[in-house]
mmCIF file of all heavy atoms in Angstrom:
data_model
loop_
_atom_site.group_PDB
_atom_site.id
_atom_site.type_symbol
_atom_site.label_atom_id
_atom_site.label_comp_id
_atom_site.label_asym_id
_atom_site.label_seq_id
_atom_site.Cartn_x
_atom_site.Cartn_y
_atom_site.Cartn_z
ATOM 1 N N PRO A 1 103.909 132.256 156.365
ATOM 2 C CA PRO A 1 103.270 131.397 155.366
ATOM 3 C C PRO A 1 104.297 130.600 154.559
ATOM 4 O O PRO A 1 105.409 131.066 154.320
ATOM 5 C CB PRO A 1 102.536 132.396 154.470
ATOM 6 C CG PRO A 1 102.341 133.610 155.319
ATOM 7 C CD PRO A 1 103.542 133.655 156.210
ATOM 8 N N ARG A 2 103.882 129.416 154.152
ATOM 9 C CA ARG A 2 104.742 128.581 153.318
ATOM 10 C C ARG A 2 104.825 129.173 151.920
ATOM 11 O O ARG A 2 103.821 129.582 151.346
ATOM 12 C CB ARG A 2 104.156 127.167 153.248
ATOM 13 C CG ARG A 2 105.020 126.166 152.495
ATOM 14 C CD ARG A 2 104.357 124.802 152.463
ATOM 15 N NE ARG A 2 103.265 124.748 151.519
ATOM 16 C CZ ARG A 2 103.418 124.491 150.199
ATOM 17 N NH1 ARG A 2 104.631 124.325 149.688
ATOM 18 N NH2 ARG A 2 102.368 124.421 149.403
ATOM 19 N N ILE A 3 106.024 129.215 151.364
ATOM 20 C CA ILE A 3 106.204 129.677 149.994
ATOM 21 C C ILE A 3 105.969 128.506 149.048
ATOM 22 O O ILE A 3 106.659 127.484 149.127
ATOM 23 C CB ILE A 3 107.609 130.263 149.790
ATOM 24 C CG1 ILE A 3 107.787 131.504 150.670
ATOM 25 C CG2 ILE A 3 107.838 130.616 148.324
ATOM 26 C CD1 ILE A 3 109.189 132.074 150.660
ATOM 27 N N VAL A 4 104.986 128.624 148.185
ATOM 28 C CA VAL A 4 104.646 127.556 147.253
ATOM 29 C C VAL A 4 105.682 127.530 146.136
ATOM 30 O O VAL A 4 105.921 128.541 145.469
ATOM 31 C CB VAL A 4 103.239 127.754 146.667
ATOM 32 C CG1 VAL A 4 102.918 126.646 145.660
ATOM 33 C CG2 VAL A 4 102.191 127.787 147.783
ATOM 34 N N GLU A 5 106.299 126.388 145.942
ATOM 35 C CA GLU A 5 107.283 126.203 144.877
ATOM 36 C C GLU A 5 106.662 125.417 143.729
ATOM 37 O O GLU A 5 105.826 124.524 143.945
ATOM 38 C CB GLU A 5 108.506 125.454 145.416
ATOM 39 C CG GLU A 5 109.210 126.137 146.579
ATOM 40 C CD GLU A 5 109.957 127.398 146.159
ATOM 41 O OE1 GLU A 5 110.061 127.644 144.942
ATOM 42 O OE2 GLU A 5 110.436 128.122 147.050
ATOM 43 N N VAL A 113 95.262 119.783 143.551
ATOM 44 C CA VAL A 113 95.116 121.073 144.237
ATOM 45 C C VAL A 113 93.808 121.702 143.779
ATOM 46 O O VAL A 113 93.485 121.690 142.587
ATOM 47 C CB VAL A 113 96.284 122.026 143.919
ATOM 48 C CG1 VAL A 113 96.147 123.319 144.715
ATOM 49 C CG2 VAL A 113 97.625 121.370 144.195
ATOM 50 N N LEU A 114 93.064 122.245 144.739
ATOM 51 C CA LEU A 114 91.785 122.880 144.411
ATOM 52 C C LEU A 114 91.751 124.269 145.034
ATOM 53 O O LEU A 114 92.048 124.433 146.227
ATOM 54 C CB LEU A 114 90.624 122.035 144.922
ATOM 55 C CG LEU A 114 89.222 122.495 144.508
ATOM 56 C CD1 LEU A 114 88.291 121.305 144.335
ATOM 57 C CD2 LEU A 114 88.629 123.459 145.546
ATOM 58 N N TYR A 115 91.398 125.268 144.216
ATOM 59 C CA TYR A 115 91.301 126.651 144.669
ATOM 60 C C TYR A 115 89.834 127.089 144.666
ATOM 61 O O TYR A 115 89.072 126.747 143.750
ATOM 62 C CB TYR A 115 92.071 127.582 143.725
ATOM 63 C CG TYR A 115 93.561 127.377 143.691
ATOM 64 C CD1 TYR A 115 94.143 126.470 142.801
ATOM 65 C CD2 TYR A 115 94.411 128.108 144.517
ATOM 66 C CE1 TYR A 115 95.518 126.292 142.746
ATOM 67 C CE2 TYR A 115 95.795 127.947 144.465
ATOM 68 C CZ TYR A 115 96.332 127.028 143.579
ATOM 69 O OH TYR A 115 97.711 126.863 143.522
ATOM 70 N N SER A 118 88.132 131.787 149.993
ATOM 71 C CA SER A 118 88.359 131.210 151.311
ATOM 72 C C SER A 118 87.058 131.048 152.087
ATOM 73 O O SER A 118 86.039 131.694 151.802
ATOM 74 C CB SER A 118 89.338 132.076 152.116
ATOM 75 O OG SER A 118 88.658 133.122 152.776
ATOM 76 N N PRO A 145 91.997 116.641 147.652
ATOM 77 C CA PRO A 145 93.052 117.548 147.179
ATOM 78 C C PRO A 145 93.530 118.473 148.292
ATOM 79 O O PRO A 145 92.906 118.589 149.349
ATOM 80 C CB PRO A 145 92.327 118.353 146.093
ATOM 81 C CG PRO A 145 90.907 118.398 146.575
ATOM 82 C CD PRO A 145 90.661 117.055 147.228
ATOM 83 N N ILE A 146 94.643 119.127 148.045
ATOM 84 C CA ILE A 146 95.035 120.262 148.870
ATOM 85 C C ILE A 146 94.078 121.403 148.535
ATOM 86 O O ILE A 146 93.843 121.703 147.361
ATOM 87 C CB ILE A 146 96.492 120.691 148.581
ATOM 88 C CG1 ILE A 146 97.467 119.596 149.016
ATOM 89 C CG2 ILE A 146 96.814 122.010 149.277
ATOM 90 C CD1 ILE A 146 97.487 119.354 150.516
ATOM 91 N N ILE A 147 93.512 122.031 149.559
ATOM 92 C CA ILE A 147 92.582 123.140 149.357
ATOM 93 C C ILE A 147 93.320 124.447 149.591
ATOM 94 O O ILE A 147 93.948 124.645 150.637
ATOM 95 C CB ILE A 147 91.381 123.054 150.323
ATOM 96 C CG1 ILE A 147 90.717 121.675 150.251
ATOM 97 C CG2 ILE A 147 90.381 124.165 150.029
ATOM 98 C CD1 ILE A 147 90.071 121.354 148.941
ATOM 99 N N ARG A 148 93.248 125.348 148.619
ATOM 100 C CA ARG A 148 93.818 126.684 148.789
ATOM 101 C C ARG A 148 92.708 127.717 148.604
ATOM 102 O O ARG A 148 92.220 127.947 147.498
ATOM 103 C CB ARG A 148 94.953 126.934 147.798
ATOM 104 C CG ARG A 148 96.204 126.112 148.097
ATOM 105 C CD ARG A 148 97.373 126.474 147.209
ATOM 106 N NE ARG A 148 98.488 125.545 147.453
ATOM 107 C CZ ARG A 148 99.262 125.048 146.482
ATOM 108 N NH1 ARG A 148 99.076 125.418 145.217
ATOM 109 N NH2 ARG A 148 100.235 124.207 146.784
ATOM 110 N N GLY A 149 92.303 128.333 149.728
ATOM 111 C CA GLY A 149 91.308 129.391 149.669
ATOM 112 C C GLY A 149 91.969 130.705 149.296
ATOM 113 O O GLY A 149 92.993 131.076 149.875
ATOM 114 N N TYR A 150 91.399 131.396 148.320
ATOM 115 C CA TYR A 150 91.968 132.679 147.905
ATOM 116 C C TYR A 150 91.111 133.836 148.420
ATOM 117 O O TYR A 150 89.972 133.653 148.848
ATOM 118 C CB TYR A 150 92.173 132.744 146.392
ATOM 119 C CG TYR A 150 90.969 132.479 145.510
ATOM 120 C CD1 TYR A 150 90.084 133.491 145.164
ATOM 121 C CD2 TYR A 150 90.751 131.209 144.955
ATOM 122 C CE1 TYR A 150 89.006 133.261 144.319
ATOM 123 C CE2 TYR A 150 89.684 130.963 144.104
ATOM 124 C CZ TYR A 150 88.813 131.995 143.788
ATOM 125 O OH TYR A 150 87.744 131.757 142.947
ATOM 126 N N LEU A 156 92.772 137.152 154.366
ATOM 127 C CA LEU A 156 92.661 135.888 155.096
ATOM 128 C C LEU A 156 93.923 135.612 155.912
ATOM 129 O O LEU A 156 94.963 136.228 155.701
ATOM 130 C CB LEU A 156 92.392 134.731 154.115
ATOM 131 C CG LEU A 156 93.276 134.585 152.869
ATOM 132 C CD1 LEU A 156 94.643 134.034 153.196
ATOM 133 C CD2 LEU A 156 92.595 133.678 151.854
ATOM 134 N N PRO A 157 93.828 134.691 156.867
ATOM 135 C CA PRO A 157 95.027 134.272 157.607
ATOM 136 C C PRO A 157 95.870 133.376 156.708
ATOM 137 O O PRO A 157 95.641 132.170 156.602
ATOM 138 C CB PRO A 157 94.452 133.514 158.810
ATOM 139 C CG PRO A 157 93.128 133.019 158.350
ATOM 140 C CD PRO A 157 92.615 134.044 157.382
ATOM 141 N N ALA A 158 96.820 133.979 156.022
ATOM 142 C CA ALA A 158 97.563 133.265 154.979
ATOM 143 C C ALA A 158 98.452 132.180 155.553
ATOM 144 O O ALA A 158 99.210 132.421 156.496
ATOM 145 C CB ALA A 158 98.401 134.253 154.175
ATOM 146 N N THR A 159 98.363 130.996 154.970
ATOM 147 C CA THR A 159 99.271 129.903 155.326
ATOM 148 C C THR A 159 100.170 129.519 154.154
ATOM 149 O O THR A 159 101.062 128.693 154.313
ATOM 150 C CB THR A 159 98.490 128.662 155.793
ATOM 151 O OG1 THR A 159 97.635 128.208 154.733
ATOM 152 C CG2 THR A 159 97.646 128.974 157.014
ATOM 153 N N ALA A 160 99.921 130.106 152.981
ATOM 154 C CA ALA A 160 100.768 129.848 151.809
ATOM 155 C C ALA A 160 100.742 131.072 150.908
ATOM 156 O O ALA A 160 99.723 131.772 150.829
ATOM 157 C CB ALA A 160 100.294 128.611 151.049
ATOM 158 N N VAL A 161 101.864 131.339 150.239
ATOM 159 C CA VAL A 161 101.943 132.470 149.323
ATOM 160 C C VAL A 161 102.663 132.045 148.043
ATOM 161 O O VAL A 161 103.518 131.160 148.056
ATOM 162 C CB VAL A 161 102.685 133.680 149.942
ATOM 163 C CG1 VAL A 161 101.846 134.328 151.019
ATOM 164 C CG2 VAL A 161 104.041 133.274 150.468
ATOM 165 N N VAL A 162 102.271 132.705 146.958
ATOM 166 C CA VAL A 162 102.879 132.448 145.648
ATOM 167 C C VAL A 162 103.437 133.755 145.102
ATOM 168 O O VAL A 162 102.714 134.757 145.034
ATOM 169 C CB VAL A 162 101.848 131.863 144.663
ATOM 170 C CG1 VAL A 162 102.442 131.760 143.260
ATOM 171 C CG2 VAL A 162 101.370 130.489 145.138
ATOM 172 N N ALA A 212 98.068 135.257 148.211
ATOM 173 C CA ALA A 212 98.076 134.534 149.483
ATOM 174 C C ALA A 212 96.882 133.588 149.564
ATOM 175 O O ALA A 212 95.810 133.860 149.000
ATOM 176 C CB ALA A 212 98.046 135.517 150.648
ATOM 177 N N PHE A 213 97.084 132.490 150.295
ATOM 178 C CA PHE A 213 96.060 131.462 150.391
ATOM 179 C C PHE A 213 95.955 130.913 151.801
ATOM 180 O O PHE A 213 96.938 130.883 152.548
ATOM 181 C CB PHE A 213 96.387 130.299 149.436
ATOM 182 C CG PHE A 213 96.547 130.728 148.012
ATOM 183 C CD1 PHE A 213 97.815 130.975 147.483
ATOM 184 C CD2 PHE A 213 95.445 130.928 147.208
ATOM 185 C CE1 PHE A 213 97.973 131.395 146.178
ATOM 186 C CE2 PHE A 213 95.595 131.352 145.905
ATOM 187 C CZ PHE A 213 96.862 131.584 145.380
ATOM 188 N N LEU A 214 94.760 130.473 152.139
ATOM 189 C CA LEU A 214 94.567 129.632 153.307
ATOM 190 C C LEU A 214 94.667 128.196 152.795
ATOM 191 O O LEU A 214 93.718 127.657 152.232
ATOM 192 C CB LEU A 214 93.204 129.892 153.952
ATOM 193 C CG LEU A 214 92.844 129.006 155.143
ATOM 194 C CD1 LEU A 214 93.861 129.153 156.268
ATOM 195 C CD2 LEU A 214 91.440 129.333 155.655
ATOM 196 N N GLU A 215 95.838 127.609 152.943
ATOM 197 C CA GLU A 215 96.120 126.274 152.406
ATOM 198 C C GLU A 215 95.905 125.228 153.500
ATOM 199 O O GLU A 215 96.494 125.315 154.580
ATOM 200 C CB GLU A 215 97.550 126.203 151.884
ATOM 201 C CG GLU A 215 97.937 124.831 151.361
ATOM 202 C CD GLU A 215 99.402 124.751 150.968
ATOM 203 O OE1 GLU A 215 100.237 124.531 151.877
ATOM 204 O OE2 GLU A 215 99.699 124.940 149.785
ATOM 205 N N LEU A 216 95.066 124.237 153.190
ATOM 206 C CA LEU A 216 94.751 123.196 154.157
ATOM 207 C C LEU A 216 94.612 121.849 153.454
ATOM 208 O O LEU A 216 94.075 121.784 152.340
ATOM 209 C CB LEU A 216 93.428 123.505 154.865
ATOM 210 C CG LEU A 216 93.336 124.798 155.685
ATOM 211 C CD1 LEU A 216 91.891 125.065 156.071
ATOM 212 C CD2 LEU A 216 94.221 124.724 156.914
ATOM 213 N N PRO A 217 95.070 120.767 154.100
ATOM 214 C CA PRO A 217 94.715 119.434 153.590
ATOM 215 C C PRO A 217 93.193 119.290 153.612
ATOM 216 O O PRO A 217 92.511 119.899 154.450
ATOM 217 C CB PRO A 217 95.386 118.483 154.588
ATOM 218 C CG PRO A 217 96.430 119.297 155.276
ATOM 219 C CD PRO A 217 95.909 120.708 155.301
ATOM 220 N N ALA A 218 92.659 118.491 152.721
ATOM 221 C CA ALA A 218 91.206 118.389 152.584
ATOM 222 C C ALA A 218 90.520 118.014 153.891
ATOM 223 O O ALA A 218 89.462 118.566 154.234
ATOM 224 C CB ALA A 218 90.861 117.384 151.488
ATOM 225 N N THR A 220 91.527 118.564 156.972
ATOM 226 C CA THR A 220 91.579 119.701 157.891
ATOM 227 C C THR A 220 90.590 120.778 157.469
ATOM 228 O O THR A 220 89.896 121.378 158.303
ATOM 229 C CB THR A 220 93.006 120.285 157.947
ATOM 230 O OG1 THR A 220 93.927 119.247 158.297
ATOM 231 C CG2 THR A 220 93.100 121.408 158.958
ATOM 232 N N TYR A 221 90.517 121.036 156.169
ATOM 233 C CA TYR A 221 89.533 121.980 155.626
ATOM 234 C C TYR A 221 88.118 121.525 155.984
ATOM 235 O O TYR A 221 87.268 122.329 156.394
ATOM 236 C CB TYR A 221 89.708 122.080 154.113
ATOM 237 C CG TYR A 221 88.585 122.782 153.384
ATOM 238 C CD1 TYR A 221 88.548 124.173 153.289
ATOM 239 C CD2 TYR A 221 87.568 122.056 152.772
ATOM 240 C CE1 TYR A 221 87.517 124.817 152.619
ATOM 241 C CE2 TYR A 221 86.536 122.685 152.089
ATOM 242 C CZ TYR A 221 86.514 124.065 152.022
ATOM 243 O OH TYR A 221 85.492 124.700 151.358
ATOM 244 N N LEU A 224 87.506 122.094 159.742
ATOM 245 C CA LEU A 224 87.325 123.522 160.007
ATOM 246 C C LEU A 224 86.000 124.009 159.437
ATOM 247 O O LEU A 224 85.262 124.770 160.085
ATOM 248 C CB LEU A 224 88.483 124.317 159.421
ATOM 249 C CG LEU A 224 88.430 125.843 159.576
ATOM 250 C CD1 LEU A 224 88.445 126.229 161.045
ATOM 251 C CD2 LEU A 224 89.590 126.481 158.840
#
Side-chain angles (χ1 to χ4, degrees):
R2 185 181 76 85
I3 296 174
V4 178
E5 301 289 351
V113 184
L114 187 147
Y115 295 89
S118 85
I146 294 295
I147 308 295
R148 290 186 186 140
Y150 55 86
L156 49 75
T159 61
V161 289
V162 173
F213 304 97
L214 176 59
E215 178 185 83
L216 299 169
T220 305
Y221 168 83
L224 178 62

